Amino acid sequence: MDKFLIKGGKPLHGTVAISGAKNSALPAMAASLLTDERVSLHNIPRVRDIITMAKLLAFMGASVMVDSFPGADYSIEAKTISHAEAPYDLVKTMRASILTLGPTLARIGVARVSLPGGCAIGARPVDLHLSALEKMGAEIVTAHGYIEARAPRGRLQGGHVKFEKITVTGTENILMAATLADGETVLENAAREPEITDLIGLLRKMGARISGDGTATLRIEGARKLTARITR
C-alpha cells in the first residue's frame, strides 16, 4: 500500500494557502442557477469536480468565468437557462451534478437530469431527493436513465419534508428548491454538515429567508426572485 515516511526533529515554519472546500463549492455553484444575476464565488479549489460543474453550468446556458491567479475566483451568470438538462456524459463523472435538479426546477419549472448510475435498476441514491420534490408538488418520472421533473403551473409549492435518513446532497437540493417555492417549506431530519451552513449563508446573501441553522429542522420562506446582491 502507499504510505508516507516522515522524519521529524526539525521545527516547521512558513505559511500555507488553504483553498476552499469542494463540498461547499459545488452546491454554491449550483445555487447560481437560482438567479439571473451574477454570483461571485471566491477561493474555489482547483479540482476536477469543480471543472466539471463549470462545464455543466455552461452547457445549461450560464456564463462561467474564472480567474485562477492568484486565487480561483468564479463569476457565474445564468441570465437564462437554455438547456434544463444535466446530460449523462457529465453526470457520470460527477455525482454532485444532481445538485442542479432542485434549483433548475424551482427557477424555470422543468428539469431533466441523468441518474448518477444511468439506467441502474433498484433503489437509487437520489430517491430521497425525488420524494421530497414530489411533496412540494413536482411531477417526476424516470425514463431511459433520466429524471424528468415538472412543476405544475411553473412553480413548486412549499411543503413539509421529513427525510427518512440524513442526506447532505438531498438537504442541499431541497433547500435550494424551497427558496423559490410558493410558501414555507419545513425540512426535518436535515443534514447539519458545515457545507449546509455555507450554502445557507450564500442563499441568505441572495435574499433567501431561512431559519434553523445548525439544527435538524430548517424553515425556508419562498421568494418570487433571488438576487446576487447582499440584502441582509
Side-chain angles (χ1 to χ4, degrees), residues 190-205:
R192 289 179 278 181
E193 273 74 0
E195 51 262 44
I196 302 295
T197 301
D198 288 343
L199 178 60
I200 290 174
L202 172 63
L203 294 172
R204 279 208 183 107
K205 290 180 179 179

Side-chain angles (χ1 to χ4, degrees), residues 76-157:
I76 305 169
E77 188 173 9
K79 283 190 173 296
T80 61
I81 299 177
S82 55
H83 294 92
E85 178 178 331
Y88 177 68
D89 285 347
L90 289 173
V91 174
K92 70 180 180 181
T93 65
M94 183 189 66
R95 298 180 70 86
S97 301
I98 192 66
L99 289 171
T100 61
L101 175 62
T104 303
L105 181 59
R107 169 97 177 267
I108 63 175
V110 294
R112 187 172 188 264
V113 179
S114 173
L115 289 166
C119 296
I121 298 174
R124 298 177 301 260
V126 298
D127 281 349
L128 294 175
H129 304 226
L130 306 187
S131 61
L133 289 171
E134 287 176 332
K135 290 178 181 178
M136 298 173 68
E139 297 175 352
I140 299 175
V141 297
T142 56
H144 309 295
Y146 276 82
I147 301 164
E148 298 181 0
R150 184 178 72 88
R153 299 181 299 279
R155 289 181 67 84
L156 293 171
Q157 304 299 309

Side-chain angles (χ1 to χ4, degrees), residues 149-180:
R150 184 178 72 88
R153 299 181 299 279
R155 289 181 67 84
L156 293 171
Q157 304 299 309
H160 189 172
V161 175
K162 184 175 182 178
F163 290 115
E164 294 179 6
K165 60 182 180 180
I166 296 175
T167 163
V168 175
T169 53
T171 298
E172 292 166 342
N173 230 341
I174 306 309
L175 178 60
M176 289 187 283
T179 62
L180 291 180

Side-chain angles (χ1 to χ4, degrees), residues 27-107:
M29 294 175 75
S32 67
L33 295 171
L34 290 166
T35 178
D36 60 2
E37 297 184 14
R38 181 174 299 176
V39 176
S40 297
L41 304 172
H42 306 286
N43 199 29
I44 302 299
R46 299 185 185 95
V47 296
R48 184 177 63 181
D49 281 358
I50 295 296
I51 296 171
T52 301
M53 179 63 84
K55 290 179 179 178
L56 175 55
L57 296 177
F59 173 84
M60 297 177 74
S63 168
V64 181
M65 294 180 288
V66 58
D67 178 6
S68 296
F69 300 99
D73 296 337
Y74 275 75
S75 179
I76 305 169
E77 188 173 9
K79 283 190 173 296
T80 61
I81 299 177
S82 55
H83 294 92
E85 178 178 331
Y88 177 68
D89 285 347
L90 289 173
V91 174
K92 70 180 180 181
T93 65
M94 183 189 66
R95 298 180 70 86
S97 301
I98 192 66
L99 289 171
T100 61
L101 175 62
T104 303
L105 181 59
R107 169 97 177 267

